[in-house]
Amino acid sequence: PLPSKFINLAEHCLTHKYGLIIGTDTNSRHTAWGNQISNSRGHSLIQSLAQAGLLWCNNGKYTFKRNSQQTAIDLTLRNEHAPQIEFWDTVPTFSLSDHVLIEFVITLDNNVLKSRPIRDINKKKCDWQTYAHEVQFSLKTNNKLKSIMTTSSQHSIYNKSNHDLNNLVDNLNQILNDSLLKSCPTTFIRNKKKLSWRTIEIDQAELELFKRRDELNEDPNDSLLQSRYNEAHKSLKTLLAKESNNSWKTFCTGLQKQKNVSKICKALAGKKSTDLNSLIKTDGTYTASPKETLELLANTLYTTTEPDRTKLRPKKKKVPTATLR
């Protein structure tokens, strides 16, 4: 069954006619959204979605792939008040996750809804003459401001009510902001920050993987192309893990120059959305404060002895074929 918070959210949106779009990993199989078989979770989910008034937008393509297993378990849901979802599709790009990237287009009043850019105003390159001209022109054409700006009596301002003064201040701010937008060149902030540990070898390995993927798409039944693609995939995954681990080791080495807890606090302070949750200790109890959580992390991660990794992930015993039969 769906969680109670999920159902309450769907019912709230239906009652108040709010549009609701949800992307979720259901781990449920049903032929209705592209699986070859339906399991008990799928039957239960499709009934719950009907009761919650939610529709799925999948077109039958698989959204999860592990080795030769391909299933459709990730759903894009919407209610009747949500905008139309068009061109739902999966993106065949490389990802470290077993889940396939999903993309779709949302339309509002026949206008494609694009991502809202973050506007940045470069005040250093502002044309202040144009700004002054725009402000003067707006002041002359604004009747509410004109009555108070051209008055000869300074005390007439105090005769206005608070409501009128607030409206005049809002109009003046609007004029100043609009004039600034017209006078300054507008740019859009883009996050082009690159990972510090991403090397040229990783870029080359990624291009090689894309090349092998395109070759495999032309002839999916070719075993040689499949093996080349798997090798390229494995090579890129190995490089990513290696460089990431090296970067983490370099970061940990730098912690020796100052207190561990202080360094971690400074690293986490730059991310305002980071919340330190409680962690379980060896005695079965949980940490009661962020400081205790950080101390537990520091004492656990920064040890002088190398852990026995064979005990962390024990290998599964292979069952003989005769036993299976």
Side-chain angles (χ1 to χ4, degrees), residues 44-57:
S44 176
L45 178 62
I46 198 170
Q47 294 178 1
S48 300
L49 293 179
Q51 295 175 358
L54 294 174
L55 305 173
W56 58 89
C57 306

Side-chain angles (χ1 to χ4, degrees), residues 265-284:
C265 287
K266 289 181 179 180
L268 295 177
K271 300 181 179 180
K272 298 182 180 180
S273 60
T274 302
D275 294 327
L276 296 179
N277 298 322
S278 298
L279 298 178
I280 187 171
K281 296 186 290 187
T282 54
D283 57 357

Side-chain angles (χ1 to χ4, degrees), residues 33-86:
W33 47 76
N35 291 283
Q36 296 180 355
I37 59 173
S38 301
N39 57 11
S40 58
R41 291 175 60 94
H43 291 297
S44 176
L45 178 62
I46 198 170
Q47 294 178 1
S48 300
L49 293 179
Q51 295 175 358
L54 294 174
L55 305 173
W56 58 89
C57 306
N58 298 48
N59 60 4
K61 293 186 177 181
Y62 69 88
T63 62
F64 180 87
K65 181 178 181 181
R66 178 176 293 172
N67 298 330
S68 59
Q69 180 185 7
Q70 297 179 356
T71 56
I73 58 176
D74 302 289
L75 298 182
T76 304
L77 307 174
R78 59 177 291 270
N79 63 3
E80 59 181 346
H81 303 295
Q84 291 294 330
I85 293 180
E86 300 178 348

Side-chain angles (χ1 to χ4, degrees), residues 278-288 292-293 295-296 300:
S278 298
L279 298 178
I280 187 171
K281 296 186 290 187
T282 54
D283 57 357
T285 59
Y286 290 85
T287 58
E292 191 176 356
T293 301
E295 290 176 350
L296 177 62
T300 304

Side-chain angles (χ1 to χ4, degrees), residues 200-307:
I200 300 177
E201 290 76 13
I202 293 179
D203 295 336
Q204 293 176 351
E206 192 174 42
L207 293 176
E208 181 67 16
L209 178 64
F210 294 157
K211 179 180 177 181
R212 299 305 179 188
R213 181 201 61 192
D214 296 337
E215 293 176 353
L216 182 61
N217 290 336
E218 294 178 1
D219 190 1
N221 298 325
D222 193 333
S223 59
L224 179 60
L225 296 179
Q226 181 66 44
S227 62
R228 290 178 178 177
Y229 174 81
N230 294 337
E231 291 176 1
H233 184 279
K234 183 178 179 180
S235 176
L236 178 58
K237 193 172 183 179
T238 303
L239 281 174
L240 289 172
K242 178 182 177 181
E243 295 300 332
S244 177
N245 291 336
N246 291 339
S247 177
W248 175 248
K249 290 179 181 179
T250 304
F251 174 77
C252 295
T253 304
L255 293 177
Q256 298 176 359
K257 300 180 181 180
Q258 54 182 306
K259 293 183 179 180
N260 297 337
V261 176
S262 175
K263 183 67 176 181
I264 296 177
C265 287
K266 289 181 179 180
L268 295 177
K271 300 181 179 180
K272 298 182 180 180
S273 60
T274 302
D275 294 327
L276 296 179
N277 298 322
S278 298
L279 298 178
I280 187 171
K281 296 186 290 187
T282 54
D283 57 357
T285 59
Y286 290 85
T287 58
S289 64
K291 180 180 179 181
E292 191 176 356
T293 301
L294 290 174
E295 290 176 350
L296 177 62
L297 286 173
N299 296 331
T300 304
L301 297 176
Y302 307 111
T303 58
T304 56
T305 59
E306 181 70 14

Side-chain angles (χ1 to χ4, degrees), residues 118-128 131 177 179-189:
I118 302 176
R119 175 172 289 180
D120 182 32
I121 300 176
N122 190 353
K123 298 180 181 179
K124 295 182 180 179
K125 297 183 179 181
C126 178
D127 187 353
W128 295 110
Y131 174 77
N177 291 331
S179 301
L180 188 63
L181 291 176
K182 295 179 181 179
S183 307
C184 294
T186 304
T187 58
F188 300 102
I189 300 176

